[in-house]
Amino acid sequence: MSITWADRLNARVANSAFGRWFRLEGSGHVKEREGSRFLTEICAGLTTWAAMAYIISVNASILSDSGGPCVCTDADDPSCATDADYAACVQQVSQDLITTTAAVSALASFLMGALANLPIGMAPGLGLNAYFTYSVVGFHGTGIISYREALAAVFLEGWIFFALSLLGLRQWLARIMPQSLVMAVGAGIGLYIAFIGLSSGGLDVIGGDTTNLVGLGGCTADNYYAGLPGYCQHGVLRSPTMWLGIFTGGVLTVLLMLYRVRGAILIGIFVTSIISWPRDSAVTYFPHTDSGDALFDFFKKVVTFHPLHKIGNAIDWHYGKGKVWYALITFLYVDILDTTGTLYSMAKFAGLRDPVTLDFENSTIAYCVDAFSISMGALMGTSPVTAFIESATGISEGGKTGITAVTTGLAFFVCVFFAPIFASIPSWATGGALVLVGSMMIRNVREINWDYAGDAVPAFLTIIIIPLSYNIAYGVIAGVLSYIAINGIPWAFKKLSRGRIVPPTYELAEGWAVPPGGLMPYWLKKVLGRDTNPYPSGYPNNSEFRLERRDTGRHRSASVDTASQDIDKHKALEMQEVESTLPAVAR
């Protein structure tokens, strides 16, 4: 087999200081990542960007529903749903959010790759932005606090997370949570996102109902109940934009995903948008109105840098309002489960998790980058930043190092200068993407322990309450409290009866214990001179675990499989000898 120019380039890069920093194979680093190649990492980064780029328009669409810093002065309509001046202000906020989303995604992804050396893309999180908009600020500012005050809560949350990450608390919380509950939160957020995609903020398939709360939507504006936009009196499912979004943003995207076309979600969004751009069609995004003319004038610029007119440094720095602290607390525990859990899950999928301590490489740096990005995002006017599950697409294409994330960040930086294009993507183009992302997140239910009611019931309550209450926090509270109550009482009976009174199916309960490794992060143990080896005496060291390639046998892209990170066969007997010294750990 002849050596190609790509082989030479990969070898030359690996043998440089750049290659040693990112631990490419052949770099000579003691912890070089097997199978990592420079050009493969570049391709993986572009793949991740193509899978994530939809967030630029989707995030702007969701957060603009909060109204941003725009002020509604209509006493008869607190949401200013029909106020033309307010609508123009909201449109300006949406254009600002396009720039912000691309910029903060570029910054966060670049730092995650360059500092933490992880192949994980970062951007404002779906679910978190919905919680920010609909549960905290409210539609057009009708929530518990203003947009500016909510940004203040997010900014402070980032620095609190930074401190928690440095002290190791955030990593510890991610490892100690019952796994069925963690999986349920992700699944519930998936349903929540899908519901948003089906409602008026997306495809408009689901609308309001004066009797049953929700019902079918998709009617034209002249068929709404008087004074109730979104409530169809008759003519449901007749909106041309709804059907366009269903077929091009939904069905077409799914077909592309079936054939593993890279960037399928992005392609579906742009096909729908391009069809919606001509002005004289029934599905146009630029009607011949004052607002339509303003949108079209901005769209015609194509390539330009759009500065932040409304949302740049819009934080209200006064923390004296009690509801700001309430929002801060809710952001904290929602983020602990959502952001922390997603970052942990992606690191696990990349094969960088230690199967004993359940921690992953450079976890402290990764969580600090995430926390810093949350605060920087607040300064630019957006909701909390998180690791994206779409990073799995790049990992599946062979991404193993931070070069993947750096490439993703650079691609997002280029998007900053295409704000007019991304600002002209209609909601019916992104609605299908939200539904499909929700369908990908719901797969978490497969990893919930449905065989034991003590695990299944709290997980189910979490999943169902998140979308029905339109609030992630309420679902988390329901899940945690029900888990403590349902599992705490049998545990107490078992202790008091010395093991005689236990449920008949108790052996089916999900194993749970504090993973080895303790609470302190590695750097703090080093400073204090503590033992940095988390393994019991005689247990194989972490360096003996090797990443392996998954052979699926079903023509899937090769990817790292953490389930295949087993000890070599010749160590099996040694493993059995020390197994009894280890506590049961969550899956």
Side-chain angles (χ1 to χ4, degrees):
M1 183 176 178
S2 61
I3 298 176
T4 65
W5 67 269
D7 295 326
R8 294 190 184 93
L9 178 61
N10 287 331
R12 185 167 297 178
V13 173
N15 197 34
S16 65
F18 180 86
R20 285 186 289 276
W21 175 264
F22 288 104
R23 304 180 183 180
L24 292 171
E25 183 177 16
S27 65
H29 196 284
V30 294
K31 292 185 178 181
E32 67 180 31
R33 296 181 183 172
E34 184 179 354
S36 56
R37 302 284 190 276
F38 175 68
L39 291 179
T40 302
E41 298 290 323
I42 297 295
C43 292
L46 293 175
T47 300
T48 299
W49 169 81
M52 287 178 59
Y54 70 89
I55 191 59
I56 298 176
S57 55
V58 172
N59 188 57
S61 174
I62 291 176
L63 287 182
S64 61
D65 276 353
S66 71
C70 302
V71 179
C72 178
T73 58
D74 190 341
D76 297 327
D77 182 11
S79 66
C80 283
T82 58
D83 190 308
D85 293 336
Y86 187 84
C89 179
V90 170
Q91 186 58 45
Q92 184 73 58
V93 169
S94 180
Q95 294 172 1
D96 285 4
L97 284 166
I98 295 291
T99 301
T100 285
T101 305
V104 75
S105 300
L107 173 67
S109 297
F110 184 89
L111 292 178
M112 182 61 70
L115 301 181
N117 197 21
L118 293 175
I120 298 174
M122 307 282 290
L126 279 172
L128 292 170
N129 54 10
Y131 176 72
F132 179 99
T133 298
Y134 303 111
S135 298
V136 177
V137 180
F139 179 73
H140 285 186
T142 56
I144 58 175
I145 59 176
S146 70
Y147 171 81
R148 296 178 184 273
E149 292 167 337
L151 289 180
V154 173
F155 180 82
L156 185 56
E157 175 214 356
W159 290 113
I160 292 175
F161 268 162
F162 192 88
L164 293 178
S165 301
L166 281 177
L167 296 175
L169 286 169
R170 199 172 172 196
Q171 299 89 307
W172 186 73
L173 287 169
R175 293 155 53 205
I176 202 174
M177 279 294 298
Q179 289 302 291
S180 285
L181 210 56
V182 173
M183 294 298 104
V185 172
I189 292 173
L191 291 179
Y192 186 19
I193 291 172
F195 185 71
I196 293 172
L198 290 171
S199 62
S200 59
L203 296 172
D204 198 25
V205 174
I206 301 297
D209 188 280
T210 55
T211 303
N212 300 318
L213 300 183
V214 294
L216 289 176
C219 61
T220 54
D222 57 320
N223 288 324
Y224 289 152
Y225 281 100
L228 292 174
Y231 286 72
C232 292
Q233 188 172 10
H234 48 77
V236 297
L237 304 183
R238 295 184 183 179
S239 169
T241 57
M242 179 199 70
W243 288 110
L244 174 65
I246 289 174
F247 283 106
T248 57
V251 176
L252 174 63
T253 303
V254 173
L255 290 174
L256 294 174
M257 292 171 69
L258 286 176
Y259 289 96
R260 296 191 173 277
V261 176
R262 297 178 184 178
I265 292 179
L266 186 64
I267 292 172
I269 289 175
F270 270 107
V271 168
T272 309
S273 300
I274 291 170
I275 295 174
S276 302
W277 285 340
R279 301 201 71 178
D280 296 319
S281 70
V283 295
T284 184
Y285 185 60
F286 307 114
H288 292 282
T289 62
D290 291 341
S291 60
D293 291 341
L295 289 172
F296 192 65
D297 289 340
F298 183 64
F299 169 72
K300 288 188 293 185
K301 295 180 181 178
V302 183
V303 179
T304 186
F305 175 73
H306 177 77
L308 304 182
H309 296 291
K310 297 286 186 181
I311 64 175
N313 196 20
I315 296 176
D316 183 345
W317 298 101
H318 299 91
Y319 288 97
K321 192 173 180 179
K323 289 184 178 180
V324 173
W325 290 95
Y326 166 79
L328 172 62
I329 293 170
T330 55
F331 274 130
L332 281 172
Y333 64 68
V334 169
D335 259 0
I336 283 174
L337 292 176
D338 188 1
T339 310
T340 305
T342 305
L343 184 57
Y344 172 85
S345 299
M346 286 300 99
K348 175 180 179 291
F349 184 73
L352 303 174
R353 186 193 70 161
D354 188 311
V356 177
T357 66
L358 302 184
D359 205 357
F360 60 89
E361 288 187 32
N362 298 326
S363 62
T364 299
I365 298 175
Y367 284 123
C368 286
V369 167
D370 172 62
F372 175 77
S373 301
I374 289 174
S375 293
M376 294 303 100
L379 287 176
M380 289 187 276
T382 190
S383 54
V385 174
T386 182
F388 256 59
I389 59 172
E390 284 77 9
S391 302
T393 60
I395 295 170
S396 297
E397 293 299 323
K400 297 175 181 292
T401 74
I403 298 174
T404 296
V406 168
T407 304
T408 302
L410 293 176
F412 270 117
F413 178 73
V414 173
C415 293
V416 171
F417 302 97
F418 287 87
I421 298 297
F422 287 99
S424 301
I425 294 176
S427 61
W428 54 87
T430 58
L434 291 174
V435 175
L436 293 177
V437 171
S439 73
M440 288 186 276
M441 296 181 71
I442 196 65
R443 70 182 63 177
N444 285 351
V445 298
R446 296 182 301 181
E447 299 188 39
I448 294 173
N449 180 24
W450 297 108
D451 297 325
Y452 182 66
D455 296 321
V457 172
F460 176 75
L461 288 174
T462 302
I463 292 171
I464 198 68
I465 288 178
I466 287 176
L468 291 184
S469 66
Y470 230 62
N471 193 306
I472 298 171
Y474 293 159
V476 173
I477 292 172
V480 171
L481 293 183
S482 62
Y483 185 91
I484 293 172
I486 294 172
N487 292 284
I489 294 173
W491 177 84
F493 283 160
K494 179 182 178 183
K495 292 296 182 182
L496 293 173
S497 66
R498 297 183 180 181
R500 290 190 296 271
I501 303 177
V502 295
T505 57
Y506 196 69
E507 70 278 0
L508 299 177
E510 185 176 68
W512 179 89
V514 179
L519 178 61
M520 279 189 205
Y522 179 87
W523 73 270
L524 191 55
K525 291 180 181 179
K526 202 78 171 174
V527 170
L528 298 177
R530 302 281 184 89
D531 181 14
T532 57
N533 180 19
Y535 302 91
S537 177
Y539 196 86
N541 190 275
N542 183 36
S543 62
E544 298 178 9
F545 289 87
R546 298 179 65 83
L547 302 183
E548 299 179 5
R549 301 285 289 181
R550 179 193 303 167
D551 183 12
T552 63
R554 291 184 293 173
H555 306 288
R556 294 179 62 183
S557 300
S559 64
V560 177
D561 186 1
T562 57
S564 65
Q565 297 179 45
D566 299 323
I567 304 301
D568 297 334
K569 290 182 179 179
H570 70 275
K571 297 175 184 172
L573 292 177
E574 182 182 2
M575 284 288 293
Q576 292 176 3
E577 291 175 359
V578 299
E579 191 71 27
S580 59
T581 67
L582 293 173
V585 295
R587 287 178 296 154

